[in-house]
Amino acid sequence: MIWVQEVGAPAPHIPVEHAVEYAEQTIANVATCKNVWGLTWWCSHDVDRKFIDYPELEYGLGLFDADGNAKPLAKAVANAVHAELPKPVDRTTALLFDGKRSSSGPGGAFFEAWMRLAKEGQRPAIVMDTTPEYLAARGVTEVLTV
């Protein structure tokens, strides 16, 4: 089972005017993955500005503002999870992840390789194991390396 954690739309990485569309597309894309058990949005509420030592992006990151009012993003997430979601798809091509956190973020080798493939219209699975048994169980027939 897969639990997708800490999905969010942090400004300025996702401009506020694109956050709703980003949330809708993200949830729909996650739904196309097999064996997804759940998704955790990061985070539920904006951090109140009276707390002065948080990273700037966390003050506006929530689905709800610091007073508990639903933001447009919260409504988009609610609508997306209650909509008819896409069905999971088979992914026969996978990208090998080396497990290094430094390679998984913007600028990292794995991140950049996955994004390049996504821009080309590919949706590779992600694997950390290349044993024949594991790949067969996942339905992977081709493994790409960074």
Side-chain angles (χ1 to χ4, degrees):
M1 289 296 180
I2 299 169
W3 177 9
V4 180
Q5 297 185 44
E6 296 192 1
V7 174
H13 305 292
I14 307 297
V16 173
E17 64 271 17
H18 297 296
V20 166
E21 179 183 12
Y22 171 83
E24 293 167 344
Q25 289 180 356
T26 297
I27 292 168
N29 285 333
V30 167
T32 69
C33 298
K34 291 183 176 182
N35 300 316
V36 173
W37 174 84
L39 182 146
T40 303
W41 197 267
W42 177 49
C43 61
S44 62
H45 290 73
D46 292 349
V47 173
D48 192 307
R49 291 241 175 229
K50 71 182 178 185
F51 300 107
I52 60 173
D53 63 346
Y54 281 83
E56 182 58 34
L57 67 82
E58 294 202 28
Y59 291 106
L61 188 57
L63 297 171
F64 298 86
D65 67 22
D67 295 321
N69 300 305
K71 294 164 48 175
L73 185 57
K75 295 172 184 170
V77 168
N79 290 339
V81 298
H82 288 99
E84 184 173 339
L85 294 170
K87 303 293 182 217
V89 298
D90 291 326
R91 290 190 170 82
T92 58
T93 300
L95 185 61
L96 182 62
F97 178 49
D98 62 10
K100 295 178 183 170
R101 185 177 176 125
S102 62
S103 72
S104 66
F110 177 82
F111 176 91
E112 297 300 330
W114 197 94
M115 290 301 290
R116 188 172 40 261
L117 291 167
K119 286 178 183 175
E120 293 171 0
Q122 299 182 50
R123 295 285 309 279
I126 298 169
V127 296
M128 293 178 69
D129 183 350
T130 58
T131 59
E133 300 80 20
Y134 176 78
L135 296 176
R138 295 273 309 266
V140 173
T141 58
E142 178 185 21
V143 177
L144 305 175
T145 58
V146 175

